Amino acid sequence: MREDLVIRRPQGLYCPPGDFYIDPWRAVDRAIITHAHADHARIGHRHYLASAAGEQVIRTRLGEINLQTLAYGETIEHNGVQISLHPAGHVLGSVQVRLQWRDAVWVVSGDYKLDADPTCDPFEPVACDTFITESTFGLPVYRWPSPATVSQQINAWWADNASNNRASVLYAYSLGKGQRVLASIDTSIGPIITHGSLNALNDVYRAAGVNLPATQTASDVQAADRQRALVLAPPAAAGSSWMRRFGQTSDAMASGWMRVRGARRRRGVDRGFVMSDHADWPSLLRAIDATGASRVIVTHGNTAVLIRWLQEQGLDAQAFETDYGHEGDAHDE
């Protein structure tokens, strides 16, 4: 019987022959980081390995760390385990981790999506024997409209608010979702004001060559012009003193959770736009199938339904209990 290349330990997902962890949730000596969201990239590890494309995002969020980087597809060997990183399409620099030891190949997905996104490299299917996949939206009800459709909806909502002298407050997570919204909006409608939590990350994206429109701070924009503005802020900014400077507003949330009416109602916003940086149900099935894996291990999210569906297809499917999904993005995503 083959030895498992990845197991769960109290610190996180662990590779025994390589003696390293992937996205550990407790401090360890060696950590491979799939992307910079806080539930996957944590401070306190002695050595980090991540993609070169995601280096500045991770440094912006974690500060001074001992970070080694790899280009997509570049292979290194550690304790006999070959390691390479491949685009996951989740946020800038996000990766899947391919591990090969003897004749076994495992891939750890991290978070991923298959939808087109101009702000990061697209998901790359990687053939493997065992695929460890997220399942944040692992229910058949979660199906995303096309990115173009959502952009049109956001622009139409903003234009209507601007014509009625209402600022348009759109809540979106600071890393990934915020930049994705910015990359697809109609800049002719009015000024764009961003919350301070987005500004440093926007600069990282621009430095990486992602085409984002010019943005301003609230104090840069005259009070009269704020009534035509798109105000982009994280969900945590709702109800803050910063938000009160915009006067009459219409608010909205960009999230995969907006697919469900109850989630929209609990948020208490005027509009919900269905936009996610995670795979929807059809994309999860398509991504798993593309790996050719005979064994699938499901991590955070709606695991039970996905595991049952995979088992019905004849796959060896099981779950890993993890500590992912506790950052705001998992809930506000």
Side-chain angles (χ1 to χ4, degrees):
M1 184 174 179
R2 285 179 174 177
E3 180 180 351
D4 281 352
L5 261 186
V6 179
I7 63 174
R8 185 195 185 282
R9 279 187 166 183
Q11 297 92 336
L13 302 184
Y14 177 67
C15 176
D19 190 24
F20 56 77
Y21 289 81
I22 300 170
D23 291 348
W25 43 85
R26 295 184 187 174
V28 301
D29 284 343
R30 300 189 70 87
I32 302 176
I33 303 300
T34 62
H35 65 284
H37 281 146
D39 56 335
H40 291 257
R42 304 176 192 239
I43 200 70
H45 310 312
R46 293 183 61 186
H47 180 274
Y48 293 77
L49 177 68
S51 74
E55 177 178 0
Q56 294 308 316
V57 184
I58 289 177
R59 289 194 184 281
T60 298
R61 305 210 89 185
L62 299 187
E64 285 299 318
I65 57 173
N66 180 16
L67 175 62
Q68 177 184 1
T69 62
L70 287 182
Y72 293 136
E74 179 183 359
T75 300
I76 60 170
E77 187 170 307
H78 183 74
N79 291 340
V81 178
Q82 294 181 32
I83 304 166
S84 58
L85 307 178
H86 304 266
H90 179 56
V91 298
L92 181 63
S94 62
V95 294
Q96 308 164 80
V97 182
R98 181 186 185 275
L99 307 174
Q100 183 169 359
W101 189 61
R102 298 175 180 168
D103 61 347
V105 177
W106 287 47
V107 170
V108 181
S109 75
D111 292 337
Y112 64 92
K113 70 175 181 292
L114 273 59
D115 283 349
D117 181 347
T119 69
C120 63
D121 294 289
F123 176 89
E124 173 188 305
V126 181
C128 59
D129 307 310
T130 300
F131 186 50
I132 300 179
T133 179
E134 64 132 329
S135 62
T136 301
F137 292 102
L139 291 174
V141 69
Y142 291 113
R143 298 168 187 267
W144 311 148
S146 72
T149 296
V150 178
S151 296
Q152 291 168 3
Q153 292 171 342
I154 292 174
N155 286 325
W157 166 76
W158 179 17
D160 180 66
N161 288 331
S163 68
N164 287 284
N165 291 318
R166 290 191 299 262
S168 301
V169 177
L170 179 55
Y171 297 115
Y173 191 62
S174 301
L175 170 57
K177 189 75 61 59
Q179 292 74 34
R180 192 175 171 199
V181 168
L182 285 173
S184 61
I185 55 176
D186 180 355
T187 58
S188 68
I189 298 172
I192 304 166
I193 297 172
T194 49
H195 188 270
S197 64
L198 281 87
N199 294 335
L201 292 165
N202 290 344
D203 289 343
V204 170
Y205 271 66
R206 291 185 180 106
V210 178
N211 185 23
L212 299 183
T215 57
Q216 302 177 77
T217 66
S219 57
D220 291 334
V221 180
Q222 297 291 325
D225 291 333
R226 292 178 196 161
Q227 301 308 302
R228 297 184 300 107
L230 175 69
V231 181
L232 198 58
S240 67
S241 57
W242 184 81
M243 200 60 73
R244 287 196 287 271
R245 69 188 66 188
F246 299 107
Q248 184 183 15
T249 64
S250 175
D251 60 0
M253 169 78 72
S255 167
W257 302 115
M258 295 298 101
R259 178 67 180 80
V260 179
R261 183 182 303 171
R264 295 197 298 270
R265 187 170 57 248
R266 285 193 295 275
R267 273 291 170 193
V269 290
D270 298 326
R271 287 287 302 270
F273 298 110
V274 182
M275 175 187 282
S276 177
D277 286 331
H278 293 264
D280 63 0
W281 175 258
S283 294
L284 285 171
L285 304 187
R286 196 159 72 248
I288 292 168
D289 182 66
T291 68
S294 59
R295 183 183 180 192
V296 179
I297 301 174
V298 183
T299 61
H300 53 303
N302 293 290
T303 60
V305 172
L306 180 58
I307 288 171
R308 185 167 65 248
W309 191 93
L310 293 170
Q311 290 173 338
E312 289 172 353
Q313 311 313 306
L315 296 178
D316 177 3
Q318 64 186 91
F320 270 160
E321 183 180 348
T322 69
D323 205 29
Y324 307 138
H326 297 300
E327 177 166 347
D329 198 39
H331 305 285
D332 301 328
E333 195 284 344

